[in-house]
Each structure stands twice: as structure tokens, then as C-alpha cells.
Amino acid sequence: MTKNNGYALSRRQLLAGAGAAAAASVTIPTGWAIAQAKPLKVGLMLPYSGTYAKLGENITSAVELLIAEKGGKLGGRAIEIVKLDDESKPDKAQENAQRLTKRDNVDVLIGTVHSGVQMGIHKVVRETGTLTIIPNAGANAVTRALCARNVFRTSFSNWQPAHGMGLALGKRGVKKAAWITWDYAAGAEAGGGFKEGLEKHGGQVVKNLTLKFPETNFQPLLAQIPDLGVEYVGAFFAGGGAVQFVKEYKAAGIKVPLCGSGFLTEGVLGAQGDAAEGIETALHYGDGIDNPKNVAFRKAFKDKFGHDADVYAVQGYDAAQLLAIGLEAVKGEIEDEAGLYKAMRAAKIESPRGPMSMSPSQEVVHNIYLRRAEKGQNKVIGIAAANLADPGTGCKLG
Ligand code: BEZ
């Protein structure tokens, strides 16, 4: 790490006292013991307000859950959490990331949710060298042409889930679909993945309908759908916006089935109610994944926070799991970058989503499940793409 993360300082301070300690026959702490004494600062830069607030809260809860399960320490180091509400505002992203990395001197940054904000964080952490773990934002570039040794992602690339959805429709023989979304990186890149998946099987996206993030004036776009002659409408919306979109789609009485990147119905089925019934989506998580890790995670999450976990919680939990793997490998000595990154790159994580590993571009490799919304659950009905890795185009790591 190029910055001073606090460990070197405390070591200097302690060694400065060594003369006095020797005179008094006191044992001088080893480097390991010094490291253990100082908590590691983990900055959570996430949205705690706005349309993505619930996503940020669930990520935070799950990070805190994993740390609590490990007795408050990772790799023997106590963890101190510093939270910052990024409001999902890209124009404030660099300033916020600088506050965490330069003013608060965090050792690790976990963030964020919104792809545009991620690009601001990325610019800052590529300069500071701060270890960064992305627990949601899917901006393709951060694990493609702009990949960086200190940046890992435990969520997805925007391309991945929507690509699974496009493949599933294509295999079904769908020839014409439309894509509807917010006009920013996540919506556009998910649309790209959807199109590519559909085209692999001879289908095509004949129309892209967009509105500005986080606007919810869907009516002018919905009005165009019946005349498009499409068999499906694919969508990327998430959080509060997804609740409203799904309700308005149903209320408009449109006969074309709606599908999408799984965020459309993830964590929001309760609020969407009957309007979501039958919607198919593709995502790296779903209800009814019957592995012991998922069962234990869902129970622990619900016991601690009083509500169900969702994909955002899983991604936060896995961000903390990945950090734990790295820190355990270097016994909490975060300055051992080579050892830290080697362990994180090689991590095989038992995730509630199922098996998960890291690609050479430090992007998650995982199954993309096909789900159908049924009675308040995103029920897994198949695998849309097994062990799907992002292409990592342009990344020179590895
Ligand atoms: C994004 O901006 O990358 C994003 C936001 C919410 C859900 C999924 C992706």
C-alpha cells in the first residue's frame, strides 16, 4: 500500500519507546504483536439514503454479521467500521472516497452500490492503492480495461445476470425483445449482456427504452411497448424504482411478459405484491438455494436483523468473507500485499449463493440462476449459465 495506513506509525511509536523499555527490562512487542494491537479501519462507502438505501443497509448488516461471527476480528485484527452515505451520487463520489482514504485513513474500502459512484471510487483507489472490495456495483470497466490489483468484486459485473436472462430467452426460441432501464452504466451494460445472450441463439433486441436515473416517470415508455411487436420486455431496475416500475407495468395491462436482471424483483417482492407474480429474472442468488451455508446464513441474518436476507446481503457477507480469507493468510499484516492479494485471488468461497471464486481480473465467477417470482419468493427454476465468468476484456492482471 502506498499510503500510511497506521500500522507503520504505531510500530515507529512503539520502537521509539524501546530504549526506555530495555532500560526497564520490558519485553519489546514483535511486529505481529504490534499489528494485533491496532484495529483495522474498514470504510463502508454505501448509499444509506435514496432509492438504493435498503441495498446499502443490507450490505452493511451482512458485513457486520460476518465480523461478529468471527468474534470481531479478522486475521487476528480487531475491525473498526467507518460508514459514509454516498447517496448514490456520482458527482460526489471522488470527494467521498478521498474523505475515507485520505482523511479517515481507512485500510480497506468496501463500496459501493451504484456503478457511476463506483467509477469515482475507482479513480481514487487506483491512486491511493487502498484495498477495495465491491459488494454490489456492477460497472464492467473496473474488472475489464480499468482492472486494478487492489480492487476485487464479490457481487457481479453488470453483464453477467442479464446475459443469463438473454441466454435463457434465446434458448427458448425468443426472436424479438425490448430492453427498458435507467440511462446509466448499470442499465446500459446489463442491456448489452441481455442482447449478447439473446443474439447467441438468433434473437435480437429491437428497442431500448430509457429514462434518467433515478426518475420514475415510466408512463411514456410503457405506452410504447404494445406497438413494438416483441415477445418479451427485459428490464434493469432496482430498489425503490423497481417496486414502482413493476407495479406500473402490471397496472398498464401490458400483455408482453416482463423479465430482467434479477434486481428487478430482488429484495422488493413484498412491496411489489401480486404485480410481480410470474416475472422471470436471472441472478446469482434466489430463494430455495438449499446448501448448508445458505440455510445457516439466512437464519443468522434473520435472527440478528429481524428480516430476510437478499442478494445484497449475500454480496456484503461475501465481501467480508473474502477480506477474512486475505487477512487470515497474512495473519492480519495487511502490509503484506503480495500475500494478501495472492490469497484473495485464489479464494474459493463457500457463499450462500453456492460455489464462488475469483477470475484473473478479480471478478466473481458463479452460477447465474433462472428464477420465477411466485407467492413472494424468487424461486430458482434452473441454471441460466453455470460458473459464468465475465470476459474481463482488456484486463492485464493475472
Ligand atoms: C449498479 O449501479 O451497478 C447497480 C445498482 C443496483 C443494483 C444492481 C446494480
Side-chain angles (χ1 to χ4, degrees), residues 41-335:
K41 261 195 192 179
V42 176
L44 299 186
M45 180 162 158
L46 291 163
Y48 297 113
S49 56
T51 200
Y52 288 161
K54 191 161 171 270
L55 286 57
E57 280 155 17
N58 278 357
I59 290 167
T60 302
S61 296
V63 168
E64 289 174 349
L65 173 64
L66 186 281
I67 294 169
E69 285 175 352
K70 298 262 182 195
K73 290 185 174 182
L74 302 183
R77 296 284 290 270
I79 301 294
E80 179 188 338
I81 300 266
V82 182
K83 294 180 194 168
L84 188 153
D85 178 8
D86 68 30
E87 305 166 68
S88 292
K89 291 202 169 143
D91 53 336
K92 292 189 178 171
Q94 284 189 49
E95 189 191 325
N96 281 332
Q98 271 159 359
R99 266 177 62 191
L100 279 178
T101 55
K102 297 186 175 162
R103 188 195 70 183
D104 298 334
N105 267 317
V106 298
D107 298 289
V108 182
L109 193 157
I110 295 182
T112 188
V113 166
H114 183 290
S115 279
V117 177
Q118 197 68 49
M119 295 313 292
I121 293 178
H122 202 61
K123 193 161 192 303
V124 172
V125 300
R126 271 164 60 104
E127 281 166 27
T128 61
T130 312
L131 169 60
T132 299
I133 306 178
I134 307 170
N136 187 74
N140 289 342
V142 300
T143 55
R144 293 191 183 176
L146 298 179
C147 69
R149 218 172 139 258
N150 55 315
V151 177
F152 294 76
R153 181 150 53 197
T154 58
S155 48
F156 54 89
S157 72
N158 286 323
W159 176 87
Q160 282 176 320
H163 187 63
M165 192 68 239
L167 285 174
L169 292 191
K171 278 188 200 150
R172 205 174 280 176
V174 171
K175 293 291 172 236
K176 278 184 172 186
W179 182 252
I180 181 164
T181 191
W182 278 313
D183 186 15
Y184 84 102
E189 292 171 357
F194 180 73
K195 177 172 179 287
E196 239 180 80
L198 198 55
E199 285 176 352
K200 263 196 186 147
H201 295 280
Q204 52 173 323
V205 173
V206 296
K207 182 81 179 175
N208 279 295
L209 298 165
T210 59
L211 76 169
K212 270 169 86 180
F213 176 87
E215 285 177 7
T216 53
N217 179 24
F218 301 119
Q219 290 305 322
L221 303 181
L222 293 177
Q224 298 177 44
I225 292 174
D227 296 332
L228 293 176
V230 294
E231 299 152 80
Y232 274 88
V233 173
F236 168 87
F237 293 106
V243 174
Q244 193 175 331
F245 175 74
V246 165
K247 282 184 160 178
E248 289 192 22
Y249 195 96
K250 174 80 176 176
I254 299 166
K255 296 285 173 271
V256 185
L258 182 60
C259 66
S261 234
F263 312 105
L264 187 63
T265 55
E266 185 67 17
V268 286
L269 278 179
Q272 288 168 336
D274 286 349
E277 199 63 14
I279 295 179
E280 285 183 352
T281 58
L283 199 64
H284 44 284
Y285 191 59
D287 292 312
I289 294 179
D290 191 16
N291 66 51
K293 188 77 181 184
N294 191 36
V295 173
F297 167 70
R298 292 189 74 88
K299 181 177 181 327
F301 190 92
K302 190 154 192 176
D303 287 352
K304 198 167 164 71
F305 304 108
H307 63 272
D308 284 324
D310 57 12
V311 78
Y312 307 108
V314 170
Q315 294 165 175
Y317 192 74
D318 290 339
Q321 287 211 87
L322 182 63
L323 179 60
I325 287 170
L327 288 174
E328 279 157 17
V330 296
K331 298 192 168 49
E333 299 232 25
I334 198 166
E335 297 72 20

